[in-house]
């Protein structure tokens, strides 16, 4: 179960990483987060919810990765393709895997060589800062460096297997969204709608539902990251539900808007504008276009907003590179999976946000989420 | 909605942090993670699921905290008690909040002063390593230091309001566990049981269900962190479900075991041993005892296992300090919330794990989870 994809998938990922490392002069990659470790190993667990224990994967310049992990994970990691699994009983306040990791790195990286960790936007090092300092002190004759975007580049283009998994998650959310009128109506508190919507996602096949956000407010909402209140839906509200659910370790990330009762002309027009902007970005989403190009296509239609970006990559994480912002010059390639997420401002504190998921193909884009109609659905 | 607890709660937390900072000579705390930021601000969102944007809170030696956050969070943060909210449009590849944060720190911390970030076990810095280096370069005449356990100590003892919220989450999970026979039976695939169990948790009042793990295997299971397989439950299996669900931002974390059909004598004895060990630790869980004491009380009854620890703290995170391990000499105090989590090994690859949640009071412990009976329930 831990290895959802065939071993050839992981061998190809190893080879790709090592090719990128070679061009950057990196002797080892040190990975510490769920999605980076899963990219290399296939290790899938919800145990990342516990912050206590650190987990380490070392990808050498050649040969197979080494797992340096708490013993509680040995049984599960042992079901995958990684053969070299080194464990300690964690938590250990004296030495929580640091000397074991240093030994693995010392075997892998020659003196003077470079140990690289992802250090760019959207990343963090998932180990205590004090242990990071201790690790560097144990290896004074190795260099610690950033990964030069190695993981970003390696993960941004998805394999066919990954695209199929994201498509599956999108289809599950699409079926759940199609049933929202079963669970939401005037008078139902928003927090009840959130709960029932998550239950719909599970019923339709989600393994779990890490992300639901949204709002319901008259003629548009104030933000898209708030938890639900206990305020009942009221006639004239726009209800928005945004979900990142997971099936077999891969996310979807898209939303739907609903009008509680007949929409105002302003809301109807706002929704249609969002769908048009999404369609325009879809039409532009061809290999060779940039992430910035898609931003500008949408921004020309929807105007200024506070959202910061109008879409992003998607995969093992709810949001991944690239970002659809003016500064992101990432050139779109076949296999990239993106969200298109335009927003319109209808008035002070009243926005509408729409989101769809697509994959870039040689011949152009394909929808992964079932695209929403121009007319906002009425509940 | 963002501020679930009254402002006095957050004022008391600020005062407590500043008292701890004073004894350690710290001029500012820099916080970057969901639970640390929420401890200070009350800012509750599921948006942490997106790794793209960094979030910063600066707690000065005196006066009120400053929020340095992406503009997408301004509306929600503005509903809480924090008055000084500084925003930028994130992601920004040139400067993702770093110079804004440096300016806030420069105002707060005199030259030569110490800026502290949590650096101990169970913590990490949630910002890109490259930005962390950039921040330090912008403030060459300030010292960057660990927090000397400030956040650990401040968060380990819960307020009455927090205890009430954890009790509420435990009650929800208790009601869901009591209904497992409605959703699990011989022949039902484990992944279906997982999905339906999460729906039960939502139906009983969970806001979301960040953590479900478990297993179903003949006479005991191999580990407690695996995702579900599609293997149907079979007579003779022990089904274990472990959940960390959230209501209003606070976790429960406990599990239940079920026998599919009548249990073997070995399984029945194993379950009774776990409940006895939990009861013994409960009886010992008085102010003045240590985390290590509780470990030893349980280890004497259950013997050696690979789990690494036999319980831990609980609150805004699924697992928090202290750890019930021999090395943890934390003295129990009224208001600490703990899980008791003994494991027994029945044979190679066959363990049973049991878990309950308690709170330490002046007069002794109280159950937060409804304690399981000696006899393993049969489904």
């Amino acid at each position: 179960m831990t290895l959802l994809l065939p071993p050839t998938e992981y061998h190809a990922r190893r080879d790709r990483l090592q090719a990128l490392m070679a061009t950057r002069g990196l002797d080892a990659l040190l990975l510490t987060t769920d999605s980076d470790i899963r990219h290399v190993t296939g290790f899938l667990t919800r145990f990342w919810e516990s912050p206590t224990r650190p987990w380490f994967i070392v990808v050498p310049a050649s040969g197979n990765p080494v797992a340096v992990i708490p013993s509680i994970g040995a049984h599960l990691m042992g079901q995958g393709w990684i053969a070299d699994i080194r464990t300690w009983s964690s938590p250990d306040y004296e030495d929580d895997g640091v000397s074991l990791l240093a030994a693995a790195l010392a075997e892998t990286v020659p003196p003077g060589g470079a140990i690289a960790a992802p250090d760019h936007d959207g990343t963090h090092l998932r180990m205590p800062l004090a242990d990071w300092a201790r690790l560097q002190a144990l290896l004074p004759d190795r260099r610690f460096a950033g990964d030069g975007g190695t993981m970003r580049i390696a993960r941004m283009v998805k394999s066919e297997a990954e695209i199929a998994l994201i498509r599956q998650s999108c289809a599950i959310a699409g079926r759940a969204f199609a049933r929202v009128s079963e669970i939401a109506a005037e008078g139902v508190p928003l927090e009840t709608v959130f709960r029932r919507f998550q239950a719909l996602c599970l019923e339709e096949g989600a393994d779990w539902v890490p992300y639901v956000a949204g709002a319901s407010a008259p003629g548009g909402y104030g933000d898209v990251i708030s938890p639900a209140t206990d305020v009942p839906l009221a006639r004239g509200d726009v209800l928005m539900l945004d979900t990142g659910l997971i099936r077999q370790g891969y996310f979807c990330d898209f939303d739907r808007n609903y009008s509680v009762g007949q929409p105002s002309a302003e809301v109807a027009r706002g929704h249609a504008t969002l769908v048009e902007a999404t369609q325009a970005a879809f039409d532009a989403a061809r290999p060779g276009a940039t992430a910035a190009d898609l931003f500008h296509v949408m921004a020309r239609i929807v105007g200024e907003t506070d959202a910061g970006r109008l879409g992003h990559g998607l995969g093992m994480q709810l949001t991944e590179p690239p970002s659809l912002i003016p500064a992101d010059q990432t050139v779109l390639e076949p296999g990239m999976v993106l969200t298109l997420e335009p927003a319109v401002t209808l008035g002070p504190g009243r926005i509408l946000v729409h989101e769809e998921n697509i994959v870039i193909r040689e011949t152009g884009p394909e929808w992964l989420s079932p695209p929403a109609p121009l007319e906002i659905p009425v509940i």
Side-chain angles (χ1 to χ4, degrees), chain A residues 5 9 23 45 72 89 103 127 135 141 154 159 171 182 191-192 197 205 215 219 268 288 319 321-322 329 356 358:
Chain A
L5 306 174
E9 172 94 10
T23 63
T45 172
I72 198 170
S89 181
M127 68 185 288
L135 179 71
D141 53 356
S159 69
E182 295 176 23
E191 59 181 15
T192 303
F197 179 69
T319 72
Q329 297 303 323
E356 303 279 7
I358 67 170

Side-chain angles (χ1 to χ4, degrees), chain A residues 172 175-176 179 182-183 196-206 209 247:
Chain A
I172 292 166
R175 293 197 296 271
R179 293 177 59 190
E182 295 176 23
I183 57 135
R196 290 177 178 169
F197 179 69
Q198 293 174 88
L200 281 185
C201 292
L202 291 162
E203 211 176 292
E204 292 294 344
V209 189
R247 170 77 179 228

Side-chain angles (χ1 to χ4, degrees), chain A residues 172-243:
Chain A
I172 292 166
R175 293 197 296 271
F177 279 126
R179 293 177 59 190
V180 161
S181 63
E182 295 176 23
I183 57 135
E186 198 182 338
V188 179
L190 184 60
E191 59 181 15
T192 303
V193 173
F194 270 42
R195 277 192 200 107
R196 290 177 178 169
F197 179 69
Q198 293 174 88
L200 281 185
C201 292
L202 291 162
E203 211 176 292
E204 292 294 344
D207 289 335
W208 78 92
V209 189
Y211 190 70
V212 171
S216 190
Y221 27 86
D223 74 53
V224 295
I225 69 167
S226 290
T229 65
D230 57 4
V231 177
L233 305 197
R235 190 164 292 265
D237 276 5
V238 181
L239 165 68
M240 189 277 281
L241 292 168
D242 184 8
T243 192

